[in-house]
Amino acid sequence: IIVFTFFSHPLLAEIEVGSSEFFAAQREMIERKPSIKRCYNLWYDKLIRDAETVADNQREAPAVELGSGSSYVRTRYPNIITSDIEKGDVDVVFDGRSLPFADESVKALLLIHVFHHIPDVEAFLREAVRVLVPGGVVSMVDETHTPFARLFFSKFHPERYDDKTSS
């Protein structure tokens, strides 16, 4: 129910999802709600640890977060490249099906609640293989498609929820 409180908070009411205002309000909500902030901190700390598992000679390559939105990740990992399909407060705007990075140039791709939004997972994974350094990492936190998730995300999540794929 923590997430319901997060998404129903007055700061986010009547703000267009994906707008700069939404991302600013979202970041403020994370900062104001200790339980939500703790979740994000735990998730990011785990993903960042995963990113650091690359070989020593690959450690200087950048890590990229897809779907950064409010770019809260910078509070934990200031050197990350943030991205989204909307401008918000990110470094780069792009679609996960076409990553704007050179071959073998990224040590990690990090995603929190983003993978299920990628319309062509195969294209994303091909791009991930292309841009990751040898031994690079894709690390993510995402939903599972349980009866509770279907109910919760269809009723309380501000973005469309559809657990059916076209392929």
Side-chain angles (χ1 to χ4, degrees), residues 2-33 36 40 69-70 152 156-159:
I2 291 169
V3 178
F4 172 73
T5 303
F6 172 69
F7 284 121
S8 65
H9 193 279
L11 273 178
L12 299 179
E14 299 181 26
I15 299 175
E16 182 183 349
V17 175
S19 68
S20 295
E21 295 80 17
F22 179 84
F23 291 133
Q26 184 183 49
R27 185 178 179 127
E28 186 175 340
M29 284 306 313
I30 293 169
E31 292 290 346
R32 282 188 181 185
K33 299 252 181 205
I36 297 294
Y40 274 90
S70 68
F152 178 85
F156 304 119
H157 196 271
E159 297 167 343

Side-chain angles (χ1 to χ4, degrees), residues 6-79:
F6 172 69
F7 284 121
S8 65
H9 193 279
L11 273 178
L12 299 179
E14 299 181 26
I15 299 175
E16 182 183 349
V17 175
S19 68
S20 295
E21 295 80 17
F22 179 84
F23 291 133
Q26 184 183 49
R27 185 178 179 127
E28 186 175 340
M29 284 306 313
I30 293 169
E31 292 290 346
R32 282 188 181 185
K33 299 252 181 205
S35 56
I36 297 294
K37 185 176 182 176
R38 184 170 191 279
C39 286
Y40 274 90
N41 288 345
L42 289 169
W43 293 333
Y44 280 123
D45 290 348
K46 171 65 176 135
L47 271 57
I48 292 162
R49 278 194 306 273
D50 288 349
E52 295 304 323
T53 63
V54 298
D56 288 343
N57 65 337
Q58 304 292 358
R59 293 261 170 99
E60 295 303 315
V64 176
E65 182 187 31
L66 279 75
S68 301
S70 68
S71 293
Y72 179 78
V73 67
R74 287 188 188 128
T75 65
R76 310 299 286 179
Y77 198 48
N79 297 327

Side-chain angles (χ1 to χ4, degrees), residues 47 66 109-115 118 124 138-141:
L47 271 57
L66 279 75
L109 297 171
L110 310 178
L111 300 82
I112 292 185
H113 303 298
V114 171
F115 192 71
I118 299 173
F124 165 69
V138 174
S139 185
M140 69 179 81
V141 172

